[in-house]
Amino acid sequence: MEKQQNIQTQQAKEKKGLLKKIGTWFASPDGMQTLRFISAIVAVIAVGVICALLGIYMDKDNFLPKERNYALIGACAIELALIFIIAKFFSIQKKLKKSETKGCIDPFTAAFMLGLNSYFLPDFVMGSYFPKSNVLYILLGILLCWLLYLIGAVIFPKPHAWFCGVNVIFAIYALAQYYVTEFRGNPVQFADLANIKSVSEINGMYSLFLDSKVMFVLCDLILIFAVTVTTKVRKIKIRSRIISCVAVIAGCFVFVYGGRFAYDLGIKNRYIRLNFSGAENADTYRCVGYDLMFCFDGMFNRVTKPDGYSTQKAEDIITQYEVQKADKKPAIIAIMNESFADFEHIAQFKTNKDYLPNYHKLQEESISGYVSVSAYGGYSCNSEYEFLTGNTLGFLPSGSAVFTQYLNDKQNGLVSWLNELGYTTQAISPCSEGLWDIGNAYEQLQFKDRIYNCQDRMSDIQYFNGNITDETIFRYIEEQYERHAGSPYFVWTATMQNHAPYDDLSSVPSEITFEDYNDPAAQEYLNLIYQSDKALGELIDYFRNKDEEVIIVMFGDHYPHIINFTEYLYGKDVALLSTEDYSRLRQTPFLIWSNKGVEAEKIDDISLNYLSNEVMEAAGLPKSRYQQELDKIRCDIPIISSYGYKTAADGEWYSINDVADKYKDTLNEYETVQYYRMFDKKRDNSIN
């Protein structure tokens, strides 16, 4: 008994001695410097936590009153803690000034605290609150940020510049996420790094703004800079540096393999909720964390070979078809109309008059309907690609921009086939070659003639909303048609008139007004497409009495990102939409018209990858082998896009990651021939 008491007494002394040593260390200059640094970072993070909690409180539409009350209580508690931290910070600062030495902080501790701040920063700005869908995402996210700072701590004796540089990168990333999401409705993804050149082409269309979130990022950056620069970091010896380097490498392995496991938990193809919420990317980034998900995009969101793929298998599928000769070769004018959408496809609303009168009238003599597109609010190049090639974004990584990522060599499609049929193929763009890298894209898609910045060749140019009007472009197309009269002619153009932002109602004639709703952005947009519709009517009238047969196809590339108007029509948050409701937000108007007449038809189920096949039929032209294969696929799957596919037999929608057994072989066949045409280095480009 006495022996046991002695042991307990000894343990108590050792414990007391350990606590005393810890207390003594914290009272030393090194300990005070460490406490000062930690308290400063924690104070900054606490401010972000308060902002996030108050964000929950203010977001009355998406959170229950109970959650908002908890958020307010939490904010008050953190506010009290923050006052204590700041008071402690200044107390430590005062003691450090009185001490003989400033003291040093361990570089690994500094790296961890800075990494913690960088982990939280973009999430706070984007309203992505700390709880994630899996605790592994939190651990991997913090590890990622820590490793980035730790590399500098290992390499450099004085890592201050590295710390500041990495912090700047995270601040820029947080701001980029905030601004881009505000502009297009979706977060920045790793694939967007390939689109930086395109961003420089359109940045003049948008204006940056200052608000509380932007100010928080800037203040965070300045404060972290100040604390980092004024903190002395302890130098580590060569031996410790080598051991630390090994630890960093080990940490990278843990992150990569742990990340691969975490990615398979439910991130693939963005369908964490396995629905068509309209915000799959945003939901995934919030559920996983903005830093970690961006990194996962670069690591795992890649093109992979279809199951059982071989070059021979793909060629066997394509070469089973025979191709015919063309009996006639009418002129074809193909127009992708920027942000041309019909919001009445979502729900009815009242305006003073019809904002698409020509389109509605032309439906009586055209093949028309609503075509499902992969893009929403941006990524127009993907709509161009699907129409011009017959390929689908459904088999490519989420967030892909095909023109900037995958067009590295010649690719067959509608253009190459029309070339083979003897057409002169021409692309006319009001944009420069750098936007979506269309200079390279149009070359690889094999247009014989390519005109960029077409307004440089025009006179009497008109602008709406700072963009060249559809009427101006259509007049130029008429001129080009006359120049090519007598020879088979195909012309492609993508307009710009209706491009966002919609923040200047005076920039377009105001002929359309709401009767029961007030939204300046929506009103400006409706007036823009009213002018597009007017230009379309004039274009049709120009070709109506031509002796030569002329086919005109026009479709919208995507819906505009006017979220308030969209949610007003749906009556709910876009993220809460059902599959059927959401599918309408990816369906834009199209029509195919001929001056020699086509049988009027309304097509309910079609996606953009099949639309050029309809044009070929209307023109009476033979289809390529690949187009014949698409007809076969379409019999089973009439719609397939980046967000899902619809089946013919049961009319059901499926997420692109949810391959029903009944359609597994059909989808695999389609993916096989598409992979062959896009990525197989052994492909035979003579097979159209």
Side-chain angles (χ1 to χ4, degrees), residues 60-74:
K60 298 179 181 180
D61 295 330
N62 294 327
F63 292 92
L64 299 173
K66 182 176 70 173
E67 291 175 295
R68 293 190 289 109
N69 288 336
Y70 287 156
L72 187 62
I73 293 169

Side-chain angles (χ1 to χ4, degrees), residues 46 81 254 283 322 324 361 427 444 516 529 544 591 611-612 619 634 661:
V254 170
D283 284 348
E322 298 292 332
Q324 306 296 322
K361 185 178 179 180
Q444 304 302 355
D516 55 358
I529 62 168
R544 189 175 291 278
L591 65 78
L611 188 59
S612 58
R634 186 181 172 190
D661 290 339

Side-chain angles (χ1 to χ4, degrees), residues 543-664:
F543 286 102
R544 189 175 291 278
N545 297 316
K546 291 290 182 184
D547 293 332
E548 180 190 12
E549 184 178 3
V550 178
I551 306 292
I552 296 178
V553 55
M554 189 278 295
F555 63 91
D557 58 350
H558 55 68
Y559 265 75
H561 181 60
I562 308 177
I563 197 66
N564 290 336
F565 186 43
T566 304
E567 293 185 343
Y568 163 76
L569 294 176
Y570 277 120
K572 63 178 71 174
D573 189 322
V574 173
L576 304 176
L577 295 178
S578 67
T579 300
E580 184 178 354
D581 285 339
Y582 176 61
S583 67
R584 294 201 300 276
L585 194 56
R586 296 288 186 100
Q587 293 174 340
T588 62
F590 81 91
L591 65 78
I592 302 171
W593 174 88
S594 170
N595 64 340
K596 299 304 180 184
V598 293
E599 184 176 347
E601 179 186 3
K602 189 171 186 290
I603 300 178
D604 293 323
D605 290 338
I606 187 172
S607 49
L608 204 47
N609 54 310
Y610 300 128
L611 188 59
S612 58
N613 275 26
E614 287 290 336
V615 175
M616 297 296 285
E617 286 197 18
L621 289 169
K623 295 176 185 175
S624 68
R625 293 180 176 87
Y626 186 58
Q627 288 172 332
Q628 293 177 65
E629 171 66 14
L630 290 179
D631 280 340
K632 175 188 173 185
I633 301 295
R634 186 181 172 190
C635 290
D636 289 334
I637 304 172
I639 297 177
I640 180 167
S641 297
S642 62
Y643 61 94
Y645 64 96
K646 185 179 181 180
T647 59
D650 53 15
E652 291 294 321
W653 279 93
Y654 298 88
S655 79
I656 205 67
N657 195 41
D658 183 14
V659 180
D661 290 339
K662 186 176 180 181
Y663 303 99
K664 186 175 181 180

Side-chain angles (χ1 to χ4, degrees), residues 319-340:
T319 55
Q320 66 180 303
Y321 302 100
E322 298 292 332
V323 293
Q324 306 296 322
K325 291 183 178 180
D327 296 326
K328 60 173 184 172
K329 298 176 184 178
I332 301 173
I333 298 171
I335 303 163
M336 186 181 78
N337 201 316
E338 170 65 36
S339 298
F340 191 85

Side-chain angles (χ1 to χ4, degrees), residues 24 69 103 258 262 273 292 297 300 470 491 510 567 650 660:
T24 302
N69 288 336
R273 298 185 181 183
L292 182 62
D297 262 337
F300 306 122
D470 291 359
V491 62
S510 187
E567 293 185 343
D650 53 15

Side-chain angles (χ1 to χ4, degrees), residues 98-292:
K98 290 181 179 179
S99 65
E100 294 180 359
T101 176
K102 287 185 177 181
C104 300
I105 183 174
D106 183 82
F108 308 123
T109 303
F112 179 77
M113 294 308 302
L114 290 169
L116 205 60
N117 175 73
S118 294
Y119 170 76
F120 281 107
L121 184 61
D123 280 18
F124 287 151
V125 172
M126 298 304 299
S128 171
Y129 312 119
F130 183 70
K132 304 300 179 189
S133 58
N134 191 296
V135 69
L136 188 57
Y137 299 149
I138 299 173
L139 297 176
L140 287 172
I142 294 174
L143 176 61
L144 168 65
C145 298
W146 187 19
L147 286 171
L148 290 175
Y149 283 100
L150 206 56
I151 291 170
V154 170
I155 296 175
F156 304 105
K158 293 182 179 180
H160 299 78
W162 178 274
F163 287 167
C164 290
V166 174
N167 192 52
V168 168
I169 291 172
F170 275 106
I172 293 173
Y173 171 68
L175 290 174
Q177 285 288 10
Y178 184 55
Y179 282 127
V180 170
T181 303
E182 286 293 310
F183 294 147
R184 78 180 186 195
N186 260 315
V188 175
Q189 300 164 69
F190 193 86
D192 287 316
L193 294 178
N195 305 326
I196 292 176
K197 188 176 180 181
S198 295
V199 171
S200 66
E201 296 287 336
I202 62 172
N203 62 4
M205 299 179 185
Y206 298 98
S207 56
L208 302 182
F209 52 85
L210 280 176
D211 61 10
S212 58
K213 291 186 175 180
V214 176
M215 291 303 297
F216 172 73
V217 175
L218 297 177
C219 289
D220 179 276
L221 181 63
I222 293 169
L223 289 171
I224 297 299
F225 254 58
V227 174
T228 302
V229 171
T230 59
T231 300
K232 191 176 180 181
V233 178
R234 179 174 60 83
K235 292 182 180 180
I236 56 176
K237 297 178 181 179
I238 296 297
R239 182 182 175 186
S240 299
R241 198 181 298 278
I242 293 172
I243 295 172
S244 302
C245 183
V246 173
V248 168
I249 294 171
C252 291
F253 274 103
V254 170
F255 176 78
V256 170
Y257 287 101
R260 190 177 297 279
F261 173 75
Y263 190 77
D264 289 337
L265 289 176
I267 300 174
K268 285 183 177 179
N269 289 313
R270 299 297 183 277
Y271 293 95
I272 277 187
R273 298 185 181 183
L274 293 178
N275 68 5
F276 298 83
S277 68
E280 291 89 357
N281 286 327
D283 284 348
T284 306
Y285 271 72
R286 280 194 294 268
C287 292
V288 175
Y290 277 78
D291 294 329
L292 182 62

Side-chain angles (χ1 to χ4, degrees), residues 353-386:
K353 60 181 178 180
D354 188 356
Y355 54 88
L356 294 176
N358 288 301
Y359 174 76
H360 292 146
K361 185 178 179 180
L362 287 167
Q363 285 183 301
E364 298 173 4
E365 53 179 306
S366 305
I367 300 167
S368 64
Y370 293 93
V371 61
S372 291
V373 300
S374 292
Y376 169 75
Y379 285 82
S380 301
C381 67
N382 290 339
S383 294
E384 292 192 65
Y385 183 77
E386 287 189 313

